[in-house]
Amino acid sequence: MKNQKESYRNVSENPCNMCMPLGGIIAFRGIEGSMTLLHGSQGCATYMRRTISEHYEEPIDVASSSLNEKGTVFGGEENLKKGLDNVRLLYEPKMIGVLTTCLAETIGEDIGRITSRYLEERQLTDGLPIVNVPTPGYGGSHSEGYWRTVFTIISSLAEDRMSHAKINVIVPHISTADLREIKRMLRLMNIDFILLPDYADTLDAPYSKPYKKIPDGGTRLEDIRKMPGAKATLEIGLTVEDSQSAGKYLENEFGVPLFRVPLPVGIESTDRFFNTLKLISGKEIPDEISRERGRLLDGMFDSHKYNFEGRAAIFGEPEQVYAVTRLCLENGIHPLVIATGSRSKKLEQLLHAEFAKIDGSPDNHHEKYELMSDTDFAHILEKSREVKVNLAVGHSEGKILTERADIPLVRYGFPVIDRVGGQRILSAGYQGSLCFLDRLTNTLLENKYRNYRSEMYQKYYQIYK
Amino acid sequence: MESRSNLAIEERKDSIQTKGEQTQPFKCNTDSVAGCVSQRACVYCGARVVLNPITDAIHLVHGPIGCASYTWDIRGSLTSGADLFRFSFSTDLQEMDIIFGGEKKLTRAIDDLVAKYHPPLMFVYSTCIVGVIGDDLEAVCKAASKRHRIQVIPVQSSGFIGSKSAGYKAACDALMRLMEPPPGEELEKDKTINYLGEFNLAGELWIIQNYLKRIGIELNVALTGDSSYDTLKLATKACLNIVQCAGSMIYTANQMKERFHIPYMNISFIGIEDTSESLRRIARTYQDTEMMRRTEELIQTETEAIAPKIAYYRSKLQGKKAAIYVGGGFKAISLIKQFRELGIEVVMVGTQTGREEEYETINDLVKEGTVIMDDTNPSELEKFIIEKEADLLVGGVKERPLAYKMGIAFIDHNHDRKHPLSGYAGAANFAEEVYATVCSPVWAYRERCLSTGAKEERT
């Protein structure tokens, strides 16, 4: 395996990631009745609302403290407090999430102090939780922002040690369809759970009348408070660093046993998901699930030869990249460029281990592949051309690979902004994996059928002539 | 439902008025109120959207990654040549850069990009934190210009120094530096014209350029749609500037008038009425009867060509009500007129960055009872859409899901759309789009719930 260690990079060319507060907004959206306020200048909130709106096709209301020059020079305390007042007036939230931006972090705003003083001043200390998360734009990607926010929500609110039979399920940033599929699978296993964050309804709200400014759904605050008393935590997130892992926090602070599994995408990861659930709950895996698994296997056999022609570039958030790489590997698609805009040591370690298994096997047919962390599309494009990739898997910004190198893109992850239904793309569980695999195979087939007449003509007829 | 007097935020009251009922001066062009969920972007965004269509320039964002990420390929501007502008470059500042300053990294970034792409021109945008840590953009750019013998122009666009319109001004400053000839040299004027505030979304520039050509006027350069370093360098030879998006370019027009003695004229190619009138006014400045004749001929041919289509859609749309929330005042004004051409009444109109005189024009154009608002937010949009019973909202990406969630039609007038809305061709497209959304069969299901459906089945 070749590990691409980027030398110190002066310029990022066509970014593969977004900034921390964006991930925070999504995590907060998964809490019932919550509203988010960004402490910084107005543009940040607007940009992130626009990006999230485009993917989820939902109104994304995020307030800003709208820092101007005065607030930047003399401190933004007044702006932040006024912002909180107005958010309460307009939205009547059950919880407010306050995220910082580069600007607030750089001028050294102590949001913890400001918001706690605010709660005292307004005599709200018992009624309205405010969760503060430092998310400087230069501190990491949206993926890190997401995990840090999930962590902070739990570490700020979880308090009740009274034990109960539920299990905590912590999920990475996935589509709402995947979120619903995970809930369906948990219910099929007859498991009582607290899922966090649960934006399945808030980021994919059904049409209803009248319109609700804060949509129904989300993890209930009283459930979050009870997470320390759970039987176990299932954290779907192998790539998350221990220091950012809410599951680890619950284990360290309250002794809740932690089970970490990858996203249930592909047969092995989904097997692991169900086996872990079985282990935690002692419950049997129902027949319906076994049939779904059988159907996935059937589909894998049907399409394996086509998939063997696949040479993939995979990019996006670390957890998703790991999941897709595993799916490709178990179906014979060759992952040749594996990239993330985030910095992820865990992802590198996991993939090293994954590829080491193959490298050690006698029928190793793998070419060299590139693993790139903290990278951009200039590098992804360059490598993809070099190793003649014929399939790209990742978010919409990867369309640059199609535009510049004619590599078809299967859209997965966030954001999907140039197609409809980004929020409804199903890829998790046995059923979702089969849908995903079909999308990959059909893209390869489409490309093949589109080109093979002219290719064969060039290759054989022209020579014969 | 709460009435207007119950509007939650006291500070917003002077930025909302109902025509015929105004008691206080209208408040616009001020900072957004904290916590109000404004739809506005920032200074950097304003600068970026104006300059971004310059096709062969490197647009380098000096700042953290997000600013570049969210504005990558932000406009649907088309190009007839280079396409370097569609890339997004950032110095991707990290914590250490914030602590020790980002000037060295910026210098290296410029050097790397020049070596890789050999651009004739580079813009370096400052973002919030660059303004705070105080990197000397000016000095870094100046040194780089000298080193590489190309123009490296700093754009002072720290996000917190104002609203989006401050960014327009920053972009205009950058453009003026670009157009400024070497000392002692001035370009000789010819009979061509410049087209300001036109960004070639979906080829709109080309549509208008073709009209002008047919009436005998040659376009010098558009600012900034499909422009390049070489064409912008010749901008000062035109004898007239026509200004479409006044919000973004009126400042440049004034500067060019002062510095290069080029008069300007506000025009609009949105809607049939404005397009025809604009063509006439442009032609009139040439005082050429043959040109006037060709102009009338073009207006007649083009109007007749789309007339049946417009008439058909008008018959379908007559009496519908529209709400408008767009970036600039100019666009709002044209839209009011254009809706009138389709028999649609505007019941609510607002902008992010409209100026006082534009709001006066808006007030003159709309009927009594129309709500006019500056820098609004989703709560107010929702409230007045319901109160005024709008069938349709015009806006950008952020407003779209709100309209659909409320079960009303929506028109994208944002800058990444994929079809032109300018000129006669654009007017026909607009009518068609309004029809497609307002008269879609999907709205029939809006009021029906599952149980009513079942009841009907039984009968």
Side-chain angles (χ1 to χ4, degrees):
Chain A
M1 149 161 238
K2 193 185 153 200
N3 187 12
Q4 169 86 13
K5 275 272 173 254
E6 291 284 323
S7 58
Y8 186 69
R9 186 175 55 156
N10 297 317
V11 57
S12 161
E13 192 180 317
N14 301 328
C16 184
N17 56 308
M18 279 155 273
C19 63
M20 278 188 105
L22 185 138
I25 293 169
I26 288 164
F28 276 126
R29 188 75 179 215
I31 313 300
E32 187 188 44
S34 92
M35 177 67 189
T36 311
L37 188 148
L38 238 59
H39 190 30
S41 74
Q42 177 59 49
C44 306
T46 305
Y47 280 140
M48 291 174 219
R49 290 174 62 203
R50 175 179 176 262
T51 306
I52 301 172
S53 261
E54 274 193 298
H55 175 91
Y56 286 101
E57 277 296 335
E58 291 289 321
I60 307 294
D61 291 6
V62 175
S64 167
S65 58
S66 308
L67 278 190
N68 54 16
E69 212 153 7
K70 204 178 125 216
T72 303
V73 176
F74 299 110
E77 181 162 349
E78 285 316 304
N79 275 60
L80 179 51
K81 285 178 176 172
K82 191 204 273 182
L84 290 167
D85 277 341
N86 285 336
V87 162
R88 284 171 48 222
L89 253 171
L90 286 173
Y91 290 87
E92 294 169 7
K94 288 185 184 162
M95 183 189 93
I96 300 177
V98 177
L99 299 164
T100 59
T101 59
C102 318
L103 182 60
E105 289 290 328
T106 308
I107 62 174
E109 293 284 283
D110 185 350
I111 48 166
R113 188 187 54 81
I114 299 173
T115 56
S116 60
R117 194 186 294 173
Y118 173 84
L119 289 173
E120 275 164 34
E121 282 169 14
R122 304 289 189 275
Q123 296 174 331
L124 293 163
T125 35
D126 296 328
L128 180 77
I130 295 183
V131 175
N132 308 298
V133 194
T135 46
Y138 48 77
S141 73
H142 61 295
S143 181
E144 279 103 280
Y146 177 91
W147 287 113
R148 182 181 285 185
T149 304
V150 170
F151 178 93
T152 313
I153 292 169
I154 291 178
S155 59
S156 311
L157 299 175
E159 53 179 20
D160 189 349
R161 289 164 184 270
M162 177 109 77
S163 66
H164 53 81
K166 291 185 181 181
I167 69 160
N168 304 320
V169 180
I170 296 165
V171 286
H173 180 205
I174 48 180
S175 80
T176 58
D178 283 344
L179 213 47
R180 277 194 286 274
E181 179 66 6
I182 285 172
K183 292 205 271 188
R184 186 188 71 95
M185 293 190 291
L186 290 165
R187 287 187 193 119
L188 275 174
M189 280 292 285
N190 212 2
I191 283 169
D192 215 357
F193 59 88
I194 299 170
L195 181 101
L196 187 131
D198 182 1
Y199 48 80
D201 292 321
T202 58
L203 282 176
D204 194 7
Y207 171 74
S208 70
K209 241 182 141 177
Y211 165 72
K212 285 178 180 144
K213 262 194 280 212
I214 296 184
D216 290 342
T219 316
R220 294 185 308 169
L221 288 173
E222 61 258 42
D223 284 342
I224 304 173
R225 294 202 176 96
K226 284 180 192 156
M227 287 174 93
K231 197 168 161 185
T233 300
L234 181 75
E235 188 167 64
I236 304 177
L238 286 191
T239 59
V240 52
E241 300 292 329
D242 284 359
S243 62
Q244 301 293 331
S245 156
K248 204 89 200 159
Y249 172 84
L250 288 167
E251 186 175 61
N252 291 344
E253 294 293 313
F254 302 101
V256 187
L258 172 64
F259 297 83
R260 272 177 160 173
V261 293
L263 254 175
V265 171
I267 194 140
E268 283 184 38
S269 296
T270 312
D271 284 353
R272 189 161 156 196
F273 176 79
F274 280 109
N275 288 332
T276 309
L277 286 177
K278 187 180 164 187
L279 182 73
I280 298 172
S281 66
K283 286 173 181 164
E284 283 309 310
I285 296 166
D287 287 349
E288 193 169 341
I289 303 263
S290 306
R291 277 197 298 276
E292 286 171 13
R293 185 179 190 278
R295 224 164 263 131
L296 169 59
L297 270 176
D298 201 47
M300 286 167 67
F301 300 162
D302 291 344
S303 62
H304 74 282
K305 257 195 257 176
Y306 312 120
N307 289 326
F308 206 73
E309 294 175 19
R311 305 166 64 81
I314 300 160
F315 49 85
E317 294 168 42
E319 199 60 37
Q320 285 78 339
V321 165
Y322 179 63
V324 178
T325 307
R326 294 272 309 250
L327 178 73
C328 286
L329 283 174
E330 61 192 28
N331 283 285
I333 298 173
H334 304 74
L336 296 173
V337 177
I338 307 167
T340 176
S342 306
R343 280 187 198 88
S344 181
K345 282 217 174 61
K346 275 276 176 85
L347 177 66
E348 288 177 17
Q349 289 161 3
L350 285 163
L351 287 174
H352 274 299
E354 208 63 50
F355 282 102
K357 282 190 229 161
I358 302 165
D359 284 345
S361 75
D363 57 342
N364 172 25
H365 46 69
H366 272 271
E367 300 173 45
K368 72 166 192 181
Y369 39 82
E370 303 284 345
L371 171 57
M372 300 184 278
S373 258
D374 186 23
T375 192
D376 57 22
F377 276 107
H379 289 97
I380 297 172
L381 179 62
E382 194 186 306
K383 287 291 166 204
S384 298
R385 274 194 177 126
E386 203 180 295
V387 297
K388 296 195 169 53
V389 155
N390 62 4
L391 179 69
V393 193
H395 55 83
S396 280
E397 304 293 14
K399 69 179 191 292
I400 191 173
L401 300 175
T402 315
E403 282 182 16
R404 306 271 159 171
D406 215 14
I407 301 166
L409 169 67
V410 173
R411 282 158 181 80
Y412 173 73
F414 176 91
V416 175
I417 50 177
D418 57 346
R419 294 288 187 275
V420 296
Q423 75 278 39
R424 293 188 295 268
I425 297 174
L426 178 67
S427 321
Y430 298 121
Q431 294 199 125
S433 299
L434 187 51
C435 295
F436 198 177
L437 184 62
D438 285 347
R439 290 198 297 273
L440 299 177
T441 317
N442 286 333
T443 305
L444 288 168
L445 284 175
E446 193 181 333
N447 214 30
K448 183 181 174 128
Y449 292 158
R450 188 161 58 98
N451 295 321
Y452 94 97
R453 286 169 198 278
S454 65
E455 262 176 32
M456 297 305 125
Y457 177 83
Q458 291 295 336
K459 202 166 165 186
Y460 302 113
Y461 183 76
Q462 290 292 20
I463 289 171
Y464 155 82
K465 230 175 71 177
Chain B
M1 192 198 309
E2 53 177 350
S3 77
R4 253 211 78 201
S5 54
N6 287 340
L7 204 69
I9 310 290
E10 189 64 35
E11 279 169 280
R12 292 275 316 136
K13 285 196 171 140
D14 294 346
S15 299
I16 303 167
Q17 69 179 31
T18 307
K19 176 166 178 181
E21 293 171 18
Q22 54 267 57
T23 50
Q24 78 288 330
F26 191 64
K27 195 167 118 191
C28 62
N29 218 350
T30 52
D31 288 342
S32 299
V33 179
C36 276
V37 195
S38 162
Q39 310 287 91
R40 271 183 187 166
C42 61
V43 182
Y44 158 69
C45 174
R48 179 74 187 245
V49 293
V50 169
L51 296 174
N52 199 70
I54 301 172
T55 55
D56 56 356
I58 291 253
H59 300 270
L60 172 60
V61 185
H62 187 34
I65 198 68
C67 306
S69 225
Y70 303 126
T71 52
W72 181 4
D73 208 3
I74 188 167
R75 285 196 166 230
S77 296
L78 301 189
T79 172
S80 57
D83 65 356
L84 199 48
F85 73 113
R86 293 196 56 217
F87 280 16
S88 187
F89 302 101
S90 166
T91 48
D92 190 7
L93 292 182
Q94 303 296 316
E95 199 148 359
M96 284 302 140
D97 304 315
I98 308 301
I99 297 166
F100 298 110
E103 289 178 14
K104 284 196 182 119
K105 194 175 191 187
L106 175 60
T107 301
R108 288 193 301 264
I110 295 172
D111 292 351
D112 285 3
L113 286 169
V114 171
K116 188 169 173 188
Y117 292 103
H118 314 289
L121 170 66
M122 194 183 304
F123 292 105
V124 180
Y125 301 76
S126 76
T127 54
C128 286
I129 43 170
V130 170
V132 171
I133 63 176
D135 279 1
D136 191 346
L137 221 59
E138 193 74 47
V140 172
C141 290
K142 198 172 168 189
S145 284
K146 222 168 165 184
R147 199 163 57 249
H148 298 296
R149 296 205 188 87
I150 62 162
Q151 257 184 295
V152 180
I153 302 180
V155 186
Q156 301 296 349
S157 52
S158 285
F160 59 85
I161 59 170
S163 78
K164 200 172 171 183
S165 23
Y168 295 151
K169 199 159 165 273
C172 288
D173 288 336
L175 285 171
M176 286 308 288
R177 290 169 77 142
L178 183 59
M179 289 186 274
E180 185 67 37
E185 279 175 43
E186 295 272 320
L187 288 172
E188 207 172 307
K189 294 267 184 295
D190 61 17
K191 298 194 87 173
T192 60
I193 67 173
N194 294 328
Y195 189 3
L196 274 58
E198 161 53 50
F199 304 106
N200 201 27
L201 307 181
E204 287 177 340
L205 167 67
W206 300 330
I207 292 173
I208 305 307
Q209 192 172 12
N210 191 36
Y211 294 159
L212 293 173
K213 192 177 157 197
R214 278 162 62 190
I215 62 178
I217 298 170
E218 201 195 321
L219 185 76
N220 181 33
V221 61
L223 273 63
T224 49
D226 197 18
S227 60
S228 64
Y229 176 75
D230 287 337
T231 56
L232 285 165
K233 274 286 171 200
L234 300 176
T236 59
K237 76 182 174 73
C239 69
L240 175 70
N241 281 340
I242 55 171
V243 187
Q244 170 115 340
C245 179
S248 61
M249 280 285 172
I250 201 75
Y251 182 75
T252 304
N254 275 312
Q255 296 260 302
M256 287 179 83
K257 188 177 163 192
E258 231 168 79
R259 170 65 187 83
F260 305 111
H261 315 292
I262 304 173
Y264 72 84
M265 171 191 288
N266 284 313
I267 50 87
S268 164
F269 290 114
I270 303 258
I272 302 167
E273 185 189 330
D274 277 1
T275 301
S276 302
E277 197 42 39
S278 297
L279 288 172
R280 283 193 188 101
R281 285 172 53 221
I282 294 164
R284 239 177 263 144
T285 60
Y286 282 83
Q287 295 180 319
D288 175 341
T289 47
E290 175 54 21
M291 188 184 280
M292 285 302 297
R293 193 194 57 75
R294 283 197 300 265
T295 307
E296 289 306 327
E297 195 179 280
L298 179 138
I299 291 171
Q300 201 186 343
T301 318
E302 294 292 327
T303 314
E304 274 170 16
I306 61 165
K309 211 175 193 177
I310 300 285
Y312 172 75
Y313 292 130
R314 190 185 161 94
S315 74
K316 299 285 179 190
L317 295 166
Q318 191 82 36
K320 299 285 182 192
K321 293 174 186 167
I324 298 172
Y325 191 68
V326 289
F330 140 83
K331 202 191 274 176
I333 292 167
S334 286
L335 277 167
I336 296 168
K337 294 191 209 164
Q338 199 174 9
F339 275 124
R340 201 182 283 161
E341 290 169 359
L342 293 173
I344 292 175
E345 192 193 320
V346 172
V347 292
M348 188 209 92
V349 53
T351 81
Q352 288 174 37
T353 58
R355 290 164 301 136
E356 213 169 309
E357 60 269 32
E358 288 169 335
Y359 280 112
E360 276 165 27
T361 312
I362 288 171
N363 195 59
D364 291 343
L365 278 172
V366 296
K367 280 193 177 165
E368 296 268 310
T370 299
V371 174
I372 303 169
M373 49 225 251
D374 183 63
D375 185 23
T376 192
N377 55 48
S379 308
E380 290 166 9
L381 286 173
E382 181 205 345
K383 179 178 161 64
F384 294 119
I385 284 169
I386 293 171
E387 262 182 42
K388 293 287 156 190
E389 297 175 325
D391 301 291
L392 161 78
L393 174 68
V394 186
V397 179
K398 294 183 304 296
E399 291 84 27
R400 184 177 62 208
L402 177 67
Y404 293 162
K405 269 282 178 295
M406 296 180 68
I408 67 165
F410 183 78
I411 292 280
D412 264 309
H413 224 296
N414 64 347
H415 46 213
D416 61 358
R417 62 193 143 82
K418 306 287 183 283
H419 58 284
L421 295 175
S422 271
Y424 301 100
N429 284 345
F430 182 76
E432 190 169 345
E433 192 187 348
V434 174
Y435 171 73
T437 181
V438 172
C439 300
S440 166
V442 300
W443 308 124
Y445 300 91
R446 182 169 47 193
E447 314 293 339
R448 288 190 215 167
C449 58
L450 207 53
S451 55
T452 21
K455 231 181 277 165
E456 279 163 9
E457 203 117 317
R458 251 201 323 259
T459 53

